[in-house]
Amino acid sequence: MMHNQLQSYIRREQLFDPSRRLLLAVSGGRDSVVLAHLCVHAGLSIGIAHCNFRLRGVESERDEQFVRQLAAKYDVPFYTMQFDTAAHAETHRQSIQVAARELRYMWLEKVRQEEGYDLIATAHHMQDNVETLWMNISKGTGMAGLHGILPKQGMLVRPLLFATREDISAYAEEHRLEHVEDSSNATDKYTRNFFRHRVLPVLEEAYPQVVKNTGASIQRFREAEMLYRQALSFHRRNLLEQRKQEYFIPVNKLKKVQPLHTIVYELLKPFHCSPAQAAQVVELLDSEPGKWVATPAYRIVRDRKWLIITPLEATASTFFVIEEGQETVQLPGKQLHIKTTTGIQISDDSCMAYIDKQQLHFPLILRRWKQGDYFYPLGMTKKKKLSRFFIDQKLSLPEKEKVWVLESQKKIVWIAGMRIDNRFRITPGTKEVLKIELKDA
């Protein structure tokens, strides 16, 4: 019966074509031994891989030898690797569980690629899935945690998720399958074992069918998550507009969506926004322009009509020294091209500046603007603070932060890409012109 259930599950979840080569992760425990037996008797092409984490002394060596003999019995390829798991955990400041998982999957994928297998198969079953769900709920992983262990993730498949532990034990007894016991499974030292030995048994006292009922719910949660993701995809298309490196969300449009907090969090999660920061962003919707929330890699700014998501870039202390005769300057995402000419030209292109070279003193400095900067806008004889000029130009905070200024002897020559200083304009007496052009890199 379990053979038929396996084949039905593989078809229903579209796990793999029977012609594909599977690399089975086999610990030697009952679950993985049953998976190997099922695969062999289904005529699947398999290899067996075993990880020796060297955490249980003689017992770890016993497990490796057992799996080696199992592979020989089935006449299938065998692969094994011994890891210094404790050292890896200490070096990377990880728990033993996390270190073992990381080492296991990295090595399995390496073997899969090098030996030409199509997929990696593990023996996770329904109880494992139910334990994972309750662990995720307890940790507060949100909607994504409700789907538990997925039947397929990339090159990884779990063909036994349909089976309970009782199903697997009955199959092992029916076919008289030997296996080895991992003594660490008996302790509550690890979180999963705590849920396995202490949490689920209590739930089963009140609800004897809790494992099967929760397993059925997981399938419904997976389907609900699909609907959830479809709705989020609609909101992303409707609300999130990308302009080069920045993203724009219309404030008034966002304020009308429901449920607001959930949609804001999901929209901003790819920008490393935490739930607490998402709540702060919701508050930005009713704040004055200029306020912002910073995530580890982005700044979310309340502009007049938009929330603007911009990558955190270099601070205003970044500067470049330009020597006389230098022709190019490489900026983040931009290039400055410099050329001396005798032809007097005028251009309406704000990314092009024509400067009276005689008024300059090298080296020039190219830097980010800072508070207190002022200049004499072209055509004016009175100075103006850059902060006021930017307000007149209706620049957002992220746009202001990207402004470069060119200066000569602490006098601003050009607000790059915007306006030159009147003191450095071309006049009838100009003999040499410095042509400066700001281009995208």
Side-chain angles (χ1 to χ4, degrees), residues 12 35 70 144 158 178 204 269 332 421:
R12 184 172 74 248
L35 176 61
L70 185 69
R158 285 97 173 200
E178 295 182 357
E204 286 176 320
K269 189 162 63 171
D421 188 290

Side-chain angles (χ1 to χ4, degrees), residues 1-51:
M1 181 179 176
M2 199 164 174
H3 289 284
N4 295 334
Q5 289 176 313
L6 174 66
Q7 293 172 359
S8 175
Y9 186 73
I10 291 170
R11 286 194 302 270
R12 184 172 74 248
E13 296 294 341
Q14 300 180 340
L15 294 186
F16 55 84
D17 185 276
S19 64
R20 308 293 292 276
R21 295 187 73 212
L22 298 183
L23 180 66
L24 305 189
V26 179
S27 65
R30 181 187 287 112
D31 306 335
S32 59
V33 166
V34 165
L35 176 61
H37 188 271
L38 283 166
C39 289
V40 167
H41 285 267
L44 300 178
S45 176
I46 67 167
I48 287 179
H50 175 79
C51 297

